[in-house]
């Protein structure tokens, strides 16, 4: 087992090209705006530059099929780690939250965090050559990208507030933003956390356990070989597929995708028709530091800033990283979680709710025992189990 762990950990950082197992399908090659317009909805693409030079892409569905049905309200959607704005529309009009909210009358904006393939650009750094481009974790996404995108959306629409819906890292970054920059609470009417991630020490993902176990050495390795993009090699993913997954076609395809290998999946929730499109758009990229920062959460059990080890003193004037102060969050937050989620464990979600105090406005467990971390995006029953409730709660704020 130990040798395996070493092998897995070190091949993890090897750079590779696209996943060869990904099957091809027209939707896999279409861009997000092309997909949206293909299904008869209006689409816009916007770019915004952060104070540290990252060029971020936002996608917008300004209204649904009936342009007259407009609430004049904004729904801002933020994806999880290794994902992108494609998450919200890839399952098509009857299942994708982007379309569903647009048809409800919302002006839908979908962000992209620095480093994913839609925001893999910078005013002066080259992501293929400059390590410094990848010198960020989800801390910077929460502290810089989210406020930049939110301010841009409010400016373009001439509004003062929006609804925020986040999945996984899209929730972590929200807690970072509102705890570090409490003035942003006033810009969010309500926040909906799908598979909330703040505390992680009860998570059960085997692959993330392996990564977390090696977080210290990985961090050292990082200092030796340079800060980089998280790109597991094909050999590594094939190995993970063989070890962690069964051998029917669908599980093999899913397991060969690092996102699904980390998060798991429920075969009963997976619509095989959308698989080729899904494989074409995920994984969408991230930095190694983002993954290590999550590994640190698993080990430390705290919701805290990046652990630089001996470098903590230089960064924080403290030997341990500062905690994110959840008591600064005043936006009403609704937590959606499920028993089969490999990353957002029930105990960790309940601890988060406690930490949020009065801001924890409601928590809902998905009753289906098979519902997993990625089913909030891709699951056949996501509208029935989750989105319908989100929409009715939005109407209350
Ligand atoms: C929207 O409203 C306009 C004018 O009120 C009307 O002509 C048009 O048919 C409506 N469109 C739809 C799809 O209901
Ligand atoms: C699977 O996806 C296809 C294509 O988006 C869709 O037409 C079909 O209704 C979906 N099936 C289920 C069971 O959701
Ligand atoms: C990156 O941004 C620059 C503008 O600074 C633009 O000219 C270029 O096309 C962008 N590259 C990509 C791959 O989007
Ligand atoms: C990464 O950024 C930090 C500032 O956040 C800086 O102190 C550090 O030197 C950078 N590391 C590299 C390798 O560029
Ligand atoms: C923006 O909204 C304010 C009220 O909130 C209004 O007074 C102003 O005219 C609006 N500006 C534009 C350009 O629509």
């Amino acid at each position: 087992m130990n040798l395996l762990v070493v092998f897995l950990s070190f091949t993890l950082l090897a750079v590779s090209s696209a996943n060869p197992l990904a099957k091809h399908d027209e939707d896999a090659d279409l861009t997000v705006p092309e997909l949206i317009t293909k299904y008869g909805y209006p689409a816009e693409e916007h770019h915004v530059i952060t104070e540290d030079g990252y060029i971020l892409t936002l996608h917008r569905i300004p209204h649904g099929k009936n342009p007259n049905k407009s609430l004049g309200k904004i729904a801002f959607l933020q994806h999880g780690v290794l994902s992108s704005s494609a998450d919200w529309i890839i399952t098509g009009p009857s299942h994708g939250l982007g379309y569903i909210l647009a048809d409800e009358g919302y002006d839908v904006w979908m962000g992209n965090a620095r480093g994913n393939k839609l925001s893999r650009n910078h005013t002066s750094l080259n992501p293929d050559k400059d390590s410094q481009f990848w010198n960020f974790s989800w801390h910077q996404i929460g502290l810089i990208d989210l406020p930049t995108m939110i301010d841009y959306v409010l400016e373009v629409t001439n509004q003062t507030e929006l609804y925020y819906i986040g999945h996984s890292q899209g929730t972590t970054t929200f807690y970072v933003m509102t705890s570090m920059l409490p003035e942003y609470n006033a810009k969010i009417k309500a926040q909906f956390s799908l598979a909330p991630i703040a505390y992680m020490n009860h998570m059960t993902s085997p692959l993330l356990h392996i990564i977390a176990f090696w977080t210290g050495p990985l961090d050292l390795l990082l200092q030796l070989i340079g800060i980089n993009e998280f790109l597991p090699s094909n050999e590594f993913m094939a190995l993970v597929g063989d070890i962690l997954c069964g051998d029917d076609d669908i599980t093999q395809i899913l397991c060969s995708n690092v996102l699904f290998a980390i998060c798991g999946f429920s075969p009963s929730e997976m619509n095989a028709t959308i698989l080729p499109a899904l494989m074409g758009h995920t994984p969408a990229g991230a930095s190694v530091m983002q993954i290590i920062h999550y590994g640190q959460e698993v080990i430390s059990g705290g919701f805290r800033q990046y652990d630089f080890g001996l470098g903590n003193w230089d960064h924080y004037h403290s030997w341990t990283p500062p905690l994110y102060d959840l008591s600064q969050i005043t936006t009403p937050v609704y937590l959606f979680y499920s028993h089969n989620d490999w990353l957002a464990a029930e105990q960790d979600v309940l601890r988060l709710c406690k930490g949020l105090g009065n801001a924890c406005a409601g928590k809902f467990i998905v009753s289906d025992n098979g519902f997993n971390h990625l089913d909030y995006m891709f699951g056949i029953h996501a509208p029935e189990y989750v989105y319908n409730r989100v929409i009715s709660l939005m109407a209350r704020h």
Side-chain angles (χ1 to χ4, degrees):
M1 180 64 189
N2 269 346
L3 264 182
L4 171 68
V5 167
V6 173
F7 180 69
L8 289 179
S9 307
F10 285 85
T11 43
L12 195 63
L13 290 168
V15 174
S16 81
S17 55
N19 176 358
L21 289 176
K23 284 187 196 161
H24 265 271
D25 175 75
E26 191 198 346
D27 284 2
D29 298 325
L30 296 181
T31 64
V32 170
E34 282 168 352
L35 273 168
I36 297 171
T37 48
K38 174 182 161 180
Y39 289 113
Y41 288 76
E44 293 175 12
E45 181 164 295
H46 295 251
H47 297 275
V48 62
I49 300 178
T50 66
E51 68 196 27
D52 52 354
Y54 289 85
I55 303 171
L56 309 179
T57 299
L58 287 137
H59 288 121
R60 181 189 195 185
I61 311 177
H63 57 77
K65 287 237 161 104
N66 177 358
N68 296 347
K69 185 181 174 186
S70 167
L71 297 169
K73 292 176 174 176
I74 302 161
F76 181 87
L77 315 187
Q78 185 61 28
H79 63 80
V81 71
L82 292 162
S83 290
S84 71
S85 53
D87 275 14
W88 309 103
I89 53 108
I90 200 77
T91 53
S94 55
H95 286 82
L97 184 58
Y99 301 113
I100 294 174
L101 287 171
D103 281 331
E104 285 291 320
Y106 288 94
D107 178 4
V108 178
W109 290 78
M110 299 168 284
N112 283 290
R114 61 179 63 191
N116 87 5
K117 63 185 175 189
L118 302 176
S119 291
R120 201 177 177 279
N121 200 359
H122 192 277
T123 51
S124 64
L125 298 172
N126 178 342
D128 293 318
K129 294 194 182 127
D130 300 318
S131 265
Q132 181 59 24
F133 180 91
W134 299 104
N135 187 7
F136 65 85
S137 160
W138 37 260
H139 176 79
Q140 285 74 16
I141 296 172
L143 193 64
I144 306 172
D145 296 357
L146 284 185
T148 307
M149 293 191 285
I150 287 170
D151 286 338
Y152 175 81
V153 170
L154 294 177
E155 191 188 314
V156 169
T157 55
N158 192 34
Q159 301 244 357
T160 54
E161 287 181 306
L162 49 75
Y163 298 92
Y164 183 110
I165 301 168
H167 174 239
S168 188
Q169 181 190 263
T171 72
T172 316
T173 49
F174 175 85
Y175 310 137
V176 171
M177 173 180 74
T178 41
S179 63
M180 302 282 299
L181 304 168
E183 63 273 25
Y184 277 81
N185 284 293
K187 303 187 184 196
I188 318 291
K189 279 185 210 274
Q191 199 267 11
F192 301 87
S193 291
L194 314 185
I197 304 280
Y199 300 109
M200 291 203 80
N201 52 324
H202 293 95
M203 71 94 209
T204 53
S205 162
L207 188 52
L208 193 53
H209 267 300
I210 292 174
I211 295 172
F213 182 75
W214 283 92
T215 288
L218 271 179
D219 208 17
L220 277 178
L221 192 65
L222 205 65
Q223 289 167 29
L224 293 174
I225 63 171
I227 289 162
N228 269 309
E229 187 168 14
F230 180 71
L231 285 171
S233 66
N234 294 333
E235 292 76 19
F236 171 74
M237 289 318 304
L239 190 68
V240 168
D242 286 347
I243 295 167
L244 300 178
C245 305
D247 49 23
D248 69 90
D249 280 354
I250 292 186
T251 51
Q252 277 298 325
I253 292 172
L254 287 170
C255 280
S256 67
N257 182 310
V258 66
L259 181 67
F260 287 89
I262 290 177
C263 302
F265 53 89
S266 342
S268 59
E269 283 294 324
M270 187 46 70
N271 181 347
T273 316
I274 63 156
L275 265 186
L278 203 52
M279 296 297 125
H281 286 87
T282 53
S287 73
V288 172
M289 284 177 74
Q290 266 167 275
I291 309 294
I292 289 182
H293 198 171
Y294 276 129
Q296 293 174 351
E297 303 258 299
V298 175
I299 304 283
S300 76
F303 181 39
R304 53 190 211 179
Q305 295 190 37
Y306 196 87
D307 190 342
F308 292 96
L310 293 177
N312 284 338
W313 190 261
D314 282 347
H315 277 89
Y316 308 122
H317 288 286
S318 149
W319 291 114
T320 53
L323 300 175
Y324 293 107
D325 182 3
L326 295 175
S327 73
Q328 296 297 318
I329 302 177
T330 53
T331 304
V333 172
Y334 294 90
L335 305 170
F336 292 78
Y337 62 107
S338 59
H339 284 304
N340 192 38
D341 190 327
W342 284 7
L343 299 180
E346 181 171 23
Q347 281 151 295
D348 292 335
V349 173
L350 297 179
R351 181 175 166 208
L352 168 63
C353 178
K354 216 170 193 176
L356 289 168
N358 289 337
C360 183
K363 50 184 171 18
F364 305 96
I365 186 143
V366 175
S367 57
D368 186 312
N369 280 332
F371 209 73
N372 205 320
H373 194 70
L374 297 175
D375 292 331
Y376 291 88
M377 300 287 103
F378 311 132
I380 290 171
H381 295 99
E384 184 187 328
Y385 294 160
V386 181
Y387 304 162
N388 290 348
R389 177 166 265 150
V390 168
I391 288 165
S392 65
L393 289 168
M394 285 167 86
R396 290 203 212 156
H397 287 273

